[in-house]
């Protein structure tokens, strides 16, 4: 049964697949319109100092399209912001507001901006944290208030208030979404980001993603799940 649209807003071209690929694929399979907004172009997604950043940007934009087809997305858009340069600015918020007002999502899905460290060995990328912050600020108060980004009203983009926000990569989950049957789709979509997962890294994700999903699934007695902190917003 189809319900309202979904807008996923993440920092980098492969973040949505890693963080919530099973959930997005499930939503699309249920008949929802699922849209993706990528806030940076991923042009620093390499450790090779000889990398042509403009070429990497082009490749990663193509990978977003390819992965979106695997997930069944209704559409995807990549902002022209350099990897690592994402900031919570009026301009970036206005871009997210534009997508919210265009898509009119029931759910906005993004990363948890409060998650700074994972375990004892990983610092969460600042773009991930900023993506959550700027998306939350775009959801409220901006998107639903006609006095924010008011220039958009003349283009037919009326104010819109999402019903829920789902925060991925969270340290405080309050919802585990059953994604049993969608892990293969999640991994295949991630594999389309070839510039990022060539060689042994794809094998790592093929092992780690199902293991992580199985741990979440055990909490609700299903094979695989993805964890979120879900905010249900007041009208």
């Amino acid at each position: 049964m189809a319900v309202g649209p979904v807008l996923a807003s993440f920092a980098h071209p492969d973040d949505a697949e890693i963080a919530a690929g099973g959930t997005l694929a499930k939503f699309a399979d249920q008949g929802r319109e699922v849209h993706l907004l990528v806030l940076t172009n991923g042009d620093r997604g390499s450790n090779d100092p000889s990398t042509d950043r403009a070429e990497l940007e082009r490749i990663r934009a193509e990978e977003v399209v390819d992965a979106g087809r695997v997930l069944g997305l209704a559409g995807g858009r990549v902002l022209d912001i350099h990897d690592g340069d994402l900031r919570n600015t009026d301009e970036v918020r206005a871009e997210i507001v534009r997508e919210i007002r265009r898509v009119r999502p029931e759910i906005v899905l993004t990363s948890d901006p409060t998650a700074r460290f994972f375990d004892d060995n990983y610092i969460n990328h600042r773009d991930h944290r900023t993506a959550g912050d700027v998306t939350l600020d775009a959801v409220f108060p901006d998107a639903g208030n006609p006095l924010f980004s008011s220039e958009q009203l003349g283009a037919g983009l009326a104010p819109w208030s999402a019903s829920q926000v789902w925060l991925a990569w969270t340290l405080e989950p309050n919802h585990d979404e059953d994604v049993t049957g969608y892990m293969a789709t999640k991994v295949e979509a991630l594999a389309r980001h070839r510039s990022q997962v060539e060689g042994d890294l794809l094998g790592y994700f093929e092992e780690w993603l199902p293991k992580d999903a199985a741990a979440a699934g055990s909490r609700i007695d299903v094979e695989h799940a993805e964890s979120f902190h879900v905010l249900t917003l007041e009208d």
Side-chain angles (χ1 to χ4, degrees):
M1 58 179 180
V3 287
V6 176
L7 174 64
S9 174
F10 282 94
H12 305 120
D14 56 351
D15 286 351
E17 288 79 9
I18 298 171
T23 298
L24 296 177
K26 176 180 177 178
F27 284 163
D29 194 41
Q30 290 174 336
R32 293 178 184 249
E33 283 192 11
V34 181
H35 298 259
L36 173 64
L37 180 63
V38 181
L39 302 180
T40 78
N41 60 24
D43 64 347
R44 287 190 173 107
S46 173
N47 291 321
D48 182 351
S50 67
T51 297
D52 182 326
R53 287 174 57 187
E55 176 65 7
L56 182 57
E57 175 186 353
R58 183 194 65 78
I59 290 169
R60 299 200 73 182
E62 291 179 351
E63 291 171 348
V64 168
V65 174
D66 289 345
R69 291 195 186 102
V70 174
L71 293 176
L73 301 187
R77 180 176 167 226
V78 181
L79 299 187
D80 187 22
I81 297 173
H82 296 303
D83 190 339
D85 288 356
L86 185 62
R87 302 290 184 269
N88 187 344
T89 64
D90 292 345
E91 292 75 18
V92 177
R93 284 196 305 277
E95 291 291 349
I96 302 171
V97 168
R98 180 180 300 278
E99 287 301 295
I100 292 172
R101 290 176 176 175
R102 184 184 69 84
V103 173
R104 304 175 78 78
E106 176 185 341
I107 293 172
V108 173
L109 198 154
T110 189
S111 49
D112 187 338
T114 69
R116 195 171 188 90
F117 310 111
F118 292 106
D119 296 323
D120 295 326
N121 58 4
Y122 183 76
I123 300 171
N124 196 13
H125 195 300
R126 64 177 178 268
D127 281 348
H128 298 164
R129 304 192 311 263
T130 303
D133 263 330
V134 68
T135 300
L136 286 174
D137 288 347
V139 169
F140 180 82
D142 295 22
N145 187 324
L147 301 184
F148 287 93
S149 298
S150 56
E151 71 282 357
Q152 296 177 4
L153 305 182
L157 297 172
W160 180 259
S161 298
S163 300
Q164 290 188 327
V165 175
W166 290 32
L167 299 175
W169 285 332
T170 182
L171 298 175
E172 301 179 42
N174 63 3
H175 174 72
D176 295 301
E177 181 68 20
D178 183 2
V179 294
T180 302
Y182 292 95
M183 287 306 298
T185 303
K186 175 186 176 89
V187 173
E188 174 58 25
L190 180 59
R192 299 302 176 96
H193 293 275
R194 296 179 182 86
S195 68
Q196 304 302 295
V197 297
E198 289 179 334
D200 294 340
L201 189 55
L202 180 59
Y204 165 77
F205 279 116
E206 287 175 332
E207 177 180 354
W208 173 68
L209 290 175
K211 184 182 297 185
D212 187 60
S218 68
R219 293 195 290 263
I220 56 172
D221 295 323
V222 300
E223 184 178 1
H224 292 124
E226 290 176 336
S227 300
F228 302 91
H229 189 95
V230 174
L231 307 172
T232 299
L233 307 178
E234 295 181 356
D235 294 335

